[in-house]
Amino acid sequence: MHLSHEPDAPPAELIGFDDFLKVDIRVGTILTAEPYPEARKPAYKLLIDFGPAIGKRKSSAQITENYSVNDLPGRQVAAVINFPPRQIGKFLSEVLTLGFADGQGAVTLFSPDKPVPNGARLF
């Protein structure tokens, strides 16, 4: 299945609620952000705190067009925490930080509009 980032793409195939529950999406607070110049596509290396039960996890995020590294620490973001870690160059990305493509195709982070506890699960 190919997922498109285009706003006019047709919806994905129907899934059951149990399938949705398999994807563990949690909120965390970015602790640190640093450039990742070795990545093939411009990206940042993030360290995100998901609270005491999950802990701190690393993520490579292609968000350089809409954010500077100085904008990110302290910001809450949503991430899939139960995908297998993925090697991005020399960096092991442990979670998939979530976002939407803006009108120019650059990623805009997905985050709660009010503070919530780190580790809270999306439902």
Side-chain angles (χ1 to χ4, degrees):
M1 167 180 24
H2 174 73
L3 295 178
S4 174
H5 300 297
E6 298 299 319
D8 57 352
E13 66 184 76
L14 293 177
I15 62 170
F17 189 68
D18 288 342
D19 292 321
F20 170 73
L21 292 177
K22 291 177 186 177
V23 181
D24 194 351
I25 299 172
R26 304 286 183 116
V27 70
T29 300
I30 298 173
L31 298 174
T32 62
E34 58 185 81
Y36 187 28
E38 301 87 4
R40 279 186 288 158
K41 294 182 179 180
Y44 294 141
K45 294 189 281 187
L46 307 177
L47 180 62
I48 306 169
D49 180 4
F50 291 97
I54 298 162
K56 298 171 186 170
R57 302 278 176 94
K58 299 180 293 184
S59 181
S60 174
Q62 295 174 1
I63 56 174
T64 60
E65 292 182 50
N66 284 331
Y67 305 93
S68 75
V69 290
N70 297 327
D71 295 334
L72 296 168
R75 181 184 191 95
Q76 286 197 303
V77 294
V80 176
I81 64 162
N82 65 331
F83 284 153
R86 186 170 177 200
Q87 194 73 41
I88 310 291
K90 294 181 180 182
F91 184 74
L92 187 65
S93 188
E94 300 171 307
V95 299
L96 175 64
T97 304
L98 299 175
F100 295 97
D102 66 15
Q104 289 71 47
V107 177
T108 297
L109 290 168
F110 180 58
S111 60
D113 62 355
K114 295 181 182 177
V116 297
N118 287 335
R121 186 169 182 175
L122 180 74
F123 62 92

